Amino acid sequence: MNREFLSIVAKLSESSNILVVGHIMPDGDDISSVLSAKIGLERLGKNVLAGIDWRIPWYFYEFEEVNQILTYEQVKERGFRPEVVLIVDASSPDRVGQFQEFFDSTTVLLMDHHATNTLFGDHNWVDTKFGSTAQMVVRVNNELGVPYDEKLATLNLMGIATDTGFFRYSNADETVFSDATKLVSLGGKVHLVSRIFENKRIEQFKLLSTMVDHLRLELDDKIVYSYLSKEDYENNNCNEDDSGGFVGELRSLRGVELAIFLSEYDSGEVHISFRSKDWFDCSKLATMLGGGGHPRAAGCTIKGDLYVIVEEVIREAKNLFLTSLTSLNDSASK
Amino acid sequence: MNREFLSIVAKLSESSNILVVGHIMPDGDDISSVLSAKIGLERLGKNVLAGIDWRIPWYFYEFEEVNQILTYEQVKERGFRPEVVLIVDASSPDRVGQFQEFFDSTTVLLMDHHATNTLFGDHNWVDTKFGSTAQMVVRVNNELGVPYDEKLATLNLMGIATDTGFFRYSNADETVFSDATKLVSLGGKVHLVSRIFENKRIEQFKLLSTMVDHLRLELDDKIVYSYLSKEDYENNNCNEDDSGGFVGELRSLRGVELAIFLSEYDSGEVHISFRSKDWFDCSKLATMLGGGGHPRAAGCTIKGDLYVIVEEVIREAKNLFLTSLTSLNDSASK
């Protein structure tokens, strides 16, 4: 058994007051991991708060437990003094936002599956072989003896399902499936997880049409990109939460290897998502641009004018794509 | 062990020339079951042909094995004289199209998971507890001792993945997950299956916009429906294959219980798909209209004018919906 894993389990076991923290711009795996860890530790009689320093997209409120996740301000107001902070799914300290302030006064435990993780905790269990951080939470909860029921099993499944694109991505390996099988046998319901994506508004279809209108292909249709400006969101009566799956739609186009979606979150701030199908390393591109992630799914944030950023990002993407393609072909011909 | 299952295994075991037949308007489970049974039997040294009396949607050709599925005319041309016909995933004899002509001269073995199955074979293994017919093929192949490799495991996984909406529907139970885990452990790759839906054309996004333009809500937004005419398809440079996932898009709208998509396949012939989220019995509605299927997913074909059929189908749907809602509320208040 991994030593860092055992250290984290031991620290959690001996602590009474625990703060569980997720990352900014939270996704399904992050929210699942935060809630599964929090509820698991509470079932062992511990005093636990959970926090994420970011607005949580509306569709996750399909699970009422999401209301248990506090903002940084709410955690501070409560005057909570945790002995340990358990950070899940965050690859670098900036990803936890203002919760970094707790680092000096507590022991920081870190659990993550991102290869770009900077190991910023006192104990770092980072293992890229897992398709989701939620699977790491399963193992910690099991080791701690947390009892599971339908509610906890379903919340924990959410991370496995969402980080593997509902078992469709290449990270959906045997461990992913056997972990999911186990949670389903404990009462977990994937169809309840899929509800978070079955609450679409008609406006989201209109927003998709706008994105398709902006769609461009590059490098013999191997790269596809599109963007939405703050004005596009407003014109469609939408906000950034409503375009959650759009980069996946771009990726689903025939022949595409790299899909890029740029979203103007606020004037002067652009969120960029990268997805690839077979071989392009999105995390390399995202890291070059100040972000991070996985080989097949990564992202970054850039401040400045949307249209200037679109130009810059696509230029960088094309350069790295061509360089990578050359070395791919070189190694294939060896 | 089920007696019909054992009879089918015994008949297959003792036969040398076998025709495997799927249903008209084939879906992923049907194509997966046909190919997994065919390839499995061939690995036991048998002489096997596979047939489907319908055009196979282009995106399934992502798997080159789909080329092994013959039309009725191709099977006839070869003068093939099978001892048994193995029918998979078809709920009534009309669903196999012209292949019914083989019924008089052969033993008909039937494997299916549709509750609306009319048991038209000489041996009928029909079990609605399976999320997909592909899982039944796994069991027959295992009993026969068929060796699996990545190719066969992936083809067999296709049916489990597609008939459960990539593990998102309520039929994705523990057996579905444990069967999938087993196939993944044998080399099956779900991400290769998902490729069939990652070959979109930009025109499909435009077609989706057209469908959204036709979208209507009924009964306090509990029913959503839309349609595409033959002209809509032509104007978008598409055909019916391109709208495969559209009923699922309608179903994903917030608050919707029943989604209905009507597609004019040919002038005078309309294909209708029904999907529900929680309680509405789609197969009851489809059966009333001359079709069949599952409680959460069903369909039918009606000949006549598209716009007249839209009116009729929505009227019937609303009536049954209100009747069902009344009895649902009655039983809830008891």
Side-chain angles (χ1 to χ4, degrees):
Chain A
M1 196 60 89
N2 183 291
R3 208 167 65 180
E4 293 289 281
F5 165 78
L6 292 174
S7 302
I8 287 174
V9 169
K11 280 283 171 196
L12 290 172
S13 187
E14 72 193 31
S15 302
S16 301
N17 297 289
I18 301 168
L19 176 63
V20 181
V21 173
H23 60 69
I24 60 173
M25 300 174 68
D27 57 11
D29 189 25
D30 189 46
I31 292 167
S32 162
S33 297
V34 166
L35 287 174
S36 307
K38 175 186 191 265
I39 293 169
L41 291 164
E42 281 177 336
R43 289 188 179 176
L44 301 174
K46 296 175 187 302
N47 184 25
V48 192
L49 288 189
I52 289 179
D53 188 20
W54 200 269
R55 187 192 69 224
I56 295 180
W58 57 265
Y59 40 84
F60 286 110
Y61 288 91
E62 180 73 21
F63 291 109
E64 59 176 0
E65 290 77 10
V66 171
N67 291 297
Q68 298 178 23
I69 302 176
L70 307 178
T71 63
Y72 172 75
E73 290 73 19
Q74 288 171 323
V75 171
K76 288 298 279 185
E77 274 165 24
R78 300 204 183 184
F80 190 56
R81 296 193 179 280
E83 298 141 60
V84 299
V85 177
L86 173 65
I87 295 173
V88 292
D89 204 44
S91 53
S92 54
D94 58 294
R95 296 280 288 166
V96 302
Q98 300 177 79
F99 284 106
Q100 289 177 78
E101 286 188 22
F102 282 92
F103 289 6
D104 288 340
S105 55
T106 61
T107 302
V108 177
L109 312 178
L110 177 61
M111 277 166 49
D112 185 30
H113 70 133
H114 291 88
T116 51
N117 195 293
T118 61
L119 308 177
F120 58 98
D122 297 305
H123 295 280
N124 304 293
W125 183 35
V126 174
D127 194 334
T128 60
K129 83 161 180 283
F130 290 106
S132 59
T133 297
Q135 293 167 264
M136 305 172 79
V137 176
V138 171
R139 283 159 177 75
V140 168
N141 279 351
N142 283 343
E143 190 73 12
L144 287 166
V146 169
Y148 270 72
D149 56 8
E150 174 178 330
K151 180 55 79 179
L152 181 54
T154 301
L155 283 168
N156 212 334
L157 259 175
M158 175 165 76
I160 305 180
T162 55
D163 246 30
T164 61
F166 282 84
F167 309 97
R168 282 178 313 167
Y169 300 157
S170 53
N171 63 355
D173 58 13
E174 189 180 345
T175 309
V176 160
F177 273 98
S178 61
D179 287 350
T181 304
K182 190 174 173 195
L183 289 173
V184 169
S185 78
L186 292 167
K189 303 273 184 289
V190 186
H191 71 272
L192 295 182
V193 175
S194 75
R195 287 295 159 82
I196 54 184
F197 304 111
E198 290 166 358
N199 276 318
K200 274 189 196 161
R201 303 182 305 128
I202 295 172
E203 289 87 343
Q204 289 179 275
F205 288 121
K206 310 274 185 191
L207 190 68
L208 181 67
S209 294
T210 306
M211 186 202 69
V212 172
D213 290 341
H214 297 167
L215 185 157
R216 298 282 180 283
L217 294 158
E218 292 278 354
L219 298 185
D220 207 15
D221 303 355
K222 292 278 178 249
I223 300 180
V224 63
Y225 72 93
S226 189
Y227 59 84
L228 287 170
S229 67
K230 184 124 185 94
E231 199 180 357
D232 292 326
Y233 284 111
E234 286 166 0
N235 289 344
N236 286 288
N237 188 25
C238 287
N239 70 31
E240 199 177 37
D241 295 348
D242 296 308
S243 59
F246 284 12
V247 68
E249 295 288 346
L250 293 173
R251 179 185 172 278
S252 72
L253 281 168
R254 189 192 298 190
V256 158
E257 171 59 26
L258 170 62
I260 305 173
F261 175 60
L262 303 100
S263 168
E264 190 178 31
Y265 170 67
D266 224 339
S267 46
E269 183 167 332
V270 179
H271 294 153
I272 305 152
S273 306
F274 306 100
R275 296 289 183 278
S276 65
K277 271 187 190 151
D278 283 322
W279 58 266
F280 183 79
D281 188 348
C282 292
S283 70
K284 194 169 173 186
L285 178 57
T287 305
M288 278 170 53
L289 296 165
H294 303 289
R296 298 287 93 79
C300 65
T301 296
I302 304 182
K303 289 186 194 297
D305 176 76
L306 172 65
Y307 301 96
V308 173
I309 292 170
V310 170
E311 292 284 317
E312 281 175 7
V313 167
I314 302 309
R315 190 173 56 237
E316 289 297 321
K318 284 165 71 175
N319 284 340
L320 183 62
F321 194 93
L322 289 171
T323 316
S324 307
L325 194 60
T326 307
S327 51
L328 189 76
N329 290 339
D330 282 355
S331 61
S333 64
K334 263 173 198 158
Chain B
M1 196 59 89
N2 182 290
R3 211 168 62 180
E4 293 290 279
F5 165 78
L6 292 174
S7 302
I8 287 174
V9 169
K11 279 283 169 197
L12 291 171
S13 188
E14 71 194 31
S15 302
S16 301
N17 297 290
I18 301 168
L19 176 63
V20 181
V21 173
H23 60 70
I24 59 172
M25 300 174 69
D27 56 12
D29 188 24
D30 188 47
I31 293 167
S32 162
S33 297
V34 166
L35 287 175
S36 307
K38 177 188 190 262
I39 293 169
L41 291 163
E42 281 177 338
R43 289 188 179 177
L44 301 174
K46 296 175 188 300
N47 185 23
V48 192
L49 288 190
I52 290 179
D53 188 18
W54 200 270
R55 186 192 70 225
I56 295 180
W58 56 264
Y59 40 85
F60 286 111
Y61 288 90
E62 180 73 21
F63 291 109
E64 60 176 1
E65 289 77 10
V66 171
N67 291 298
Q68 298 178 23
I69 302 176
L70 307 178
T71 63
Y72 172 76
E73 290 73 20
Q74 288 171 324
V75 171
K76 288 298 281 184
E77 274 167 22
R78 300 203 182 185
F80 190 54
R81 296 192 181 279
E83 299 141 58
V84 299
V85 177
L86 173 65
I87 295 173
V88 293
D89 204 44
S91 52
S92 54
D94 58 293
R95 296 279 288 167
V96 302
Q98 302 177 79
F99 284 107
Q100 289 177 77
E101 286 187 24
F102 282 92
F103 287 9
D104 288 340
S105 56
T106 60
T107 301
V108 177
L109 312 178
L110 176 62
M111 278 166 49
D112 184 30
H113 71 132
H114 290 89
T116 51
N117 195 292
T118 62
L119 308 177
F120 58 98
D122 297 305
H123 295 281
N124 305 292
W125 183 36
V126 175
D127 195 334
T128 60
K129 81 162 182 281
F130 290 107
S132 58
T133 297
Q135 293 168 265
M136 305 172 79
V137 176
V138 171
R139 282 159 179 75
V140 167
N141 278 351
N142 282 343
E143 190 73 13
L144 287 166
V146 169
Y148 270 72
D149 56 8
E150 174 178 330
K151 180 55 78 178
L152 181 54
T154 301
L155 283 169
N156 212 333
L157 257 176
M158 175 165 73
I160 305 180
T162 55
D163 246 28
T164 61
F166 281 85
F167 309 96
R168 281 178 315 166
Y169 300 160
S170 54
N171 63 355
D173 59 12
E174 189 180 343
T175 310
V176 161
F177 273 98
S178 61
D179 287 350
T181 304
K182 190 176 173 193
L183 289 172
V184 169
S185 79
L186 292 166
K189 304 273 185 288
V190 185
H191 72 272
L192 295 182
V193 175
S194 76
R195 287 293 160 82
I196 54 184
F197 304 111
E198 290 167 358
N199 276 319
K200 275 190 195 159
R201 304 183 305 129
I202 295 172
E203 289 87 342
Q204 289 178 274
F205 287 122
K206 311 273 185 193
L207 190 68
L208 180 67
S209 294
T210 307
M211 186 202 68
V212 172
D213 290 340
H214 296 168
L215 185 157
R216 297 283 180 280
L217 294 158
E218 292 278 354
L219 297 185
D220 207 16
D221 303 357
K222 292 278 178 245
I223 299 181
V224 63
Y225 72 92
S226 190
Y227 60 86
L228 287 170
S229 68
K230 185 122 184 96
E231 199 180 358
D232 292 326
Y233 284 111
E234 286 166 1
N235 288 345
N236 286 289
N237 188 25
C238 287
N239 70 31
E240 201 178 33
D241 296 348
D242 296 308
S243 59
F246 284 12
V247 70
E249 295 288 348
L250 292 174
R251 179 184 171 279
S252 73
L253 281 169
R254 189 192 299 191
V256 159
E257 170 59 26
L258 169 62
I260 305 172
F261 175 60
L262 303 100
S263 168
E264 192 178 32
Y265 171 68
D266 225 338
S267 44
E269 185 169 331
V270 180
H271 294 152
I272 306 153
S273 307
F274 306 101
R275 296 289 184 278
S276 65
K277 271 187 190 153
D278 282 323
W279 58 268
F280 183 78
D281 188 347
C282 293
S283 69
K284 194 170 173 184
L285 178 57
T287 305
M288 279 170 52
L289 295 165
H294 302 289
R296 298 287 93 80
C300 65
T301 296
I302 303 182
K303 289 185 194 297
D305 176 75
L306 172 65
Y307 301 97
V308 173
I309 292 170
V310 170
E311 292 283 317
E312 281 175 6
V313 167
I314 302 309
R315 191 174 55 238
E316 289 296 323
K318 283 165 71 175
N319 284 340
L320 183 62
F321 195 93
L322 288 172
T323 316
S324 307
L325 195 59
T326 306
S327 52
L328 190 76
N329 290 339
D330 283 354
S331 61
S333 64
K334 265 171 197 162

